[in-house]
Amino acid sequence: GENVEQHPSTLSVQEGDSAVIKCTYSDSASNYFPWYKQELGKRPQLIIDIRSNVGEKKDQRIAVTLNKTAKHFSLHITETQPEDSAVYFCAALSLMEYGNKLVFGAGTILRVKS
Amino acid sequence: GAVVSQHPSWVICKSGTSVKIECRSLDFQATTMFWYRQFPKQSLMLMATSNEGSKATYEQGVEKDKFLINHASLTLSTLTVTSAHPEDSSFYICSARVWVNTEAFFGQGTRLTVV
């Protein structure tokens, strides 16, 4: 089955700097890769996603890149702000016989210091 | 975006009792819903995939007799933790998708504490 690895586990950046979180996946058939932001005690919220037919997607300060050949994808946050502090999870859609499921990375705790 | 509502948001129960958690898609029909468990500072671990009108598919290591899942309609799935024990204390979250390969919307989660 799909295995998703995420690095780093924690990341501290100064306000205004950029943050990059990287994930690798194992199943070459996976075709959908979302990123979620989760604040303490709250539900995960989708911040950006990318499909396998696209190499890069950007939404204001957030961008995601996908390298299908290497089976890795990355989240880039520019001009970080204190409110970006949260746990970020990458995920890959695993195609199963009985349906499709999202397999999540272990998460990255992002701290933006002001 | 679509709304998924989960209730209760927190529950405290005595060891040995059962607890039911509801997950509703409020403005769309979800043929498939997913139940996750999340321990503090850890990732979301899929417990089972719930398909409307059929039996849930459980992930390896998840006891189907312990965690009963019912998906009786296109807008409601329930998770019942039977004979709960302190080690079942966790954050349980459901999610639903409108279509495959699209955004998954999460419920607000249920904090279960078994005392």
Side-chain angles (χ1 to χ4, degrees):
Chain A
E2 178 69 279
N3 182 48
V4 177
E5 294 191 359
Q6 182 172 347
H7 299 280
S9 56
T10 60
L11 178 60
S12 290
V13 299
Q14 202 65 36
E15 181 178 0
D17 288 350
S18 295
V20 180
I21 303 170
K22 299 181 179 181
C23 287
T24 60
Y25 61 99
S26 60
D27 187 354
S28 56
S30 292
N31 58 7
Y32 175 65
F33 308 92
W35 285 89
Y36 286 87
K37 175 183 180 182
Q38 186 180 29
E39 297 178 357
L40 188 62
K42 298 195 174 178
R43 77 184 83 193
Q45 299 272 12
L46 181 76
I47 54 172
I48 197 166
D49 57 10
I50 192 167
R51 291 175 174 79
S52 57
N53 58 346
V54 176
E56 184 175 359
K57 184 177 178 181
K58 190 174 181 180
D59 182 3
Q60 300 183 337
R61 297 186 298 109
I62 296 173
V64 56
T65 58
L66 170 66
N67 183 327
K68 286 175 56 181
T69 304
K71 288 189 280 189
H72 67 71
F73 56 112
S74 301
L75 177 71
H76 304 253
I77 305 175
T78 59
E79 300 172 27
T80 54
Q81 302 167 1
E83 50 267 36
D84 293 331
S85 296
V87 182
Y88 291 80
F89 293 100
C90 64
L93 187 69
S94 179
L95 309 179
M96 311 293 291
E97 290 181 4
Y98 56 82
N100 305 300
K101 64 177 184 179
L102 284 176
V103 178
F104 286 84
T108 297
I109 300 172
L110 174 64
R111 296 190 184 96
V112 180
K113 297 174 286 186
S114 57
Chain B
V3 178
V4 175
S5 178
Q6 188 174 337
H7 293 281
S9 55
W10 61 270
V11 58
I12 301 173
C13 71
K14 290 185 177 180
S15 187
T17 62
S18 295
V19 174
K20 179 185 281 189
I21 303 169
E22 291 188 349
C23 180
R24 294 181 184 271
S25 55
L26 297 187
D27 51 1
F28 67 100
Q29 294 183 330
T31 53
T32 305
M33 290 186 177
F34 304 86
W35 287 95
Y36 295 86
R37 183 172 182 177
Q38 187 177 33
F39 290 106
K41 299 184 180 181
Q42 293 192 21
S43 188
L44 295 137
M45 301 304 297
L46 181 66
M47 298 174 66
T49 301
S50 167
N51 296 296
E52 186 267 338
S54 63
K55 292 183 179 180
T57 302
Y58 289 81
E59 295 298 302
Q60 194 171 8
V62 178
E63 300 175 58
K64 58 181 68 177
D65 295 330
K66 172 86 175 164
F67 299 100
L68 300 178
I69 291 172
N70 183 279
H71 194 154
S73 76
L74 288 171
T75 59
L76 173 65
S77 177
T78 60
L79 168 67
T80 301
V81 183
T82 63
S83 187
H85 289 94
E87 55 266 30
D88 298 325
S89 298
S90 189
F91 193 52
Y92 293 87
I93 314 179
C94 68
S95 79
R97 289 201 305 259
V98 177
W99 300 106
V100 171
N101 205 20
T102 60
E103 177 179 357
F105 298 94
F106 284 86
Q108 60 266 55
T110 298
R111 173 77 56 195
L112 170 63
T113 303
V114 185
V115 297

